[in-house]
Amino acid sequence: MSDFPCCPICLFEGAQANYRRDGIDAVRTDCPRCGVFELSSTVAATSMEKFAPRWVLSAAVRNGYELQDSGLMAPASVLRLLETAREPSSPFESVDLLIRHIHRKTDRPDGWVTFRLQWDFPLVYARDQNELHFYLQFAGRLGFVESDGTIGGTSYRLSIGGWQRLNELEQAGRKSDQAFVAMWFDGTMTPAYTDGIAPALRTGGYQPLHMAFQEHNEKIDDRIIAEIRRSGLLVADFTGHRGGVYFEAGFALGLGIPVIWTCREDEINQAHFDTRQYNYIGWTTPEDLKVKLTNRILATLPRSES
């Protein structure tokens, strides 16, 4: 028996939404449209429309769930998604999301991906399954995807044109020399940035951007999203294990932006289990971080000869 009559985000009545029984203030939801996630009880009971239309919120959360490729999204990450959710600027942006999704879901260039129309429409910021079907057909007409050809078939793969478009999307991000730095906004971490991360990035030919050192008048979440989109690299330091850093790293991965994962060695074992497959740089001092990060950048993602 579900504690809530429906998904708190998309209002789907078939979702399971229950208070956690271990004393933690969170509502765990398993929704075939939005994914598996937790919200604080306060946020779950709030009027979601204050953030954005529900279909936009559902799409933002579902895409966040898919990007982190785990069984559960934490409340802080979900709240950040709700606060930064926005509609695509055009149908072409939804088609690009479709291309990226097919790429993520198969490990071979000729692999097929099956869409469940009644559940998967949030993946491309569609309002319902009919709109998802439109985007699938639209991508086909643009020459980006191929259907399996069966009557009523919902399996698709990238065509040659789709692979070309994916390469364009990835190259567009790599042209930028801006490197976004996602890390804990805490004074104790300042030397790790100023004496470790920033000089390493400059040695590799990048211009570091850390929001704690920027003056701005906009809502910070909107600025973060905009700056990640403009970046050719993201360095994510997980010391302190802030939910926002996990979100920002996942958002960059979804855009095809390379991510370098770092964490102070005494906290690496606390990293979320779904990120442990990534090759973390473990560091002990800012100077140690500078040396190791410089070597990683120059070995894999240099922008200049140094």
Side-chain angles (χ1 to χ4, degrees), residues 81-196:
L81 288 167
L82 297 177
E83 291 174 336
T84 58
R86 64 171 185 84
E87 297 183 36
S89 58
S90 75
F92 294 100
E93 189 172 343
S94 290
V95 170
D96 288 343
L97 287 171
L98 178 65
I99 291 171
R100 291 188 186 280
H101 177 74
I102 293 175
H103 177 236
R104 284 198 309 271
K105 290 298 182 180
T106 181
D107 58 359
R108 48 186 294 166
D110 62 343
W112 296 94
V113 174
T114 299
F115 288 85
R116 307 167 303 160
L117 294 182
Q118 71 271 39
W119 307 130
D120 289 341
F121 58 85
L123 288 168
V124 297
Y125 281 75
R127 292 166 179 81
D128 53 38
Q129 65 184 59
N130 292 328
E131 191 173 351
L132 170 57
H133 187 260
F134 165 79
Y135 285 125
L136 288 166
Q137 299 302 307
F138 187 29
R141 289 195 294 273
L142 290 171
F144 294 155
V145 300
E146 299 172 343
S147 169
D148 63 1
T150 61
I151 297 176
T154 55
S155 293
Y156 292 80
R157 66 182 178 189
L158 294 181
S159 62
I160 297 300
W163 283 104
Q164 290 175 332
R165 177 57 183 162
L166 182 67
N167 185 62
E168 290 172 0
L169 294 171
E170 293 179 344
Q171 291 299 323
R174 292 172 186 159
K175 291 177 182 177
S176 172
D177 67 354
Q178 176 172 290
F180 189 94
V181 180
M183 62 188 301
W184 186 15
F185 282 21
D186 184 82
T188 62
M189 294 298 294
T190 299
Y193 174 74
T194 58
D195 302 333

